[in-house]
Amino acid sequence: MNKNRPVNLDISTFSLPITAYVSILHRVSGVILFGVVALLLWALGTSLSSESGFESVKEVFSSPIVKLIMWASLAALAYHLVAGVRHLFMDAGIGETLEGGKAGAKVVIAVAIVLILLAGVWVW
């Protein structure tokens, strides 16, 4: 048995590259969007059921907490969209190198931040 191998790895000491963080956040944003779709479908169904249903959904969506949830949902959508476009470029053969992957990850983060801030301005 090899005695030089690590026995107990502390995950918190690992330094992941930026491409790994972009990939992990892309998956997390997809899971968030999956849950948000259920809430939005419920709101749509309630608002289309009657005039009073529409008014109740309108009232709920004017709450600051719900506005924060909607902003977070739009943030997840913006990030997922931008990261998905990056994957489409990589599927086309653009940015497949290590340097291209790192540059693409930085572009994803920069564009997503701008879109998230714009979504916040729009919601509030």
Side-chain angles (χ1 to χ4, degrees), residues 16 19-29 79:
L16 297 175
T19 54
Y21 288 116
V22 168
S23 178
I24 291 167
L25 286 175
H26 186 234
R27 292 169 191 247
V28 169
S29 66
Y79 183 84

Side-chain angles (χ1 to χ4, degrees), residues 28-44:
V28 169
S29 66
V31 171
I32 291 169
L33 289 175
F34 183 76
V36 167
V37 165
L39 291 172
L40 291 177
L41 284 174
W42 169 81
L44 179 65

Side-chain angles (χ1 to χ4, degrees), residues 4-117:
N4 293 333
R5 64 180 207 166
V7 178
N8 186 11
L9 296 175
D10 185 10
I11 300 290
S12 65
T13 62
F14 289 158
S15 177
L16 297 175
I18 189 169
T19 54
Y21 288 116
V22 168
S23 178
I24 291 167
L25 286 175
H26 186 234
R27 292 169 191 247
V28 169
S29 66
V31 171
I32 291 169
L33 289 175
F34 183 76
V36 167
V37 165
L39 291 172
L40 291 177
L41 284 174
W42 169 81
L44 179 65
T46 303
S47 69
L48 293 177
S49 65
S50 66
E51 189 174 338
S52 63
F54 177 79
E55 290 299 325
S56 66
V57 169
K58 186 177 173 183
E59 182 181 326
V60 167
F61 273 60
S62 66
S63 163
I65 302 245
V66 175
K67 283 186 177 185
L68 182 65
I69 291 170
M70 290 309 301
W71 180 59
S73 303
L74 287 172
L77 178 64
Y79 183 84
H80 198 76
L81 176 72
V82 174
V85 170
R86 174 179 175 253
H87 279 287
L88 288 175
F89 278 117
M90 290 174 65
D91 287 342
I94 301 168
E96 287 183 326
T97 63
L98 181 61
E99 296 81 22
K102 288 179 182 179
K106 291 175 184 175
V107 167
V108 164
I109 291 173
V111 171
I113 287 172
V114 170
L115 290 176
I116 289 167
L117 291 174

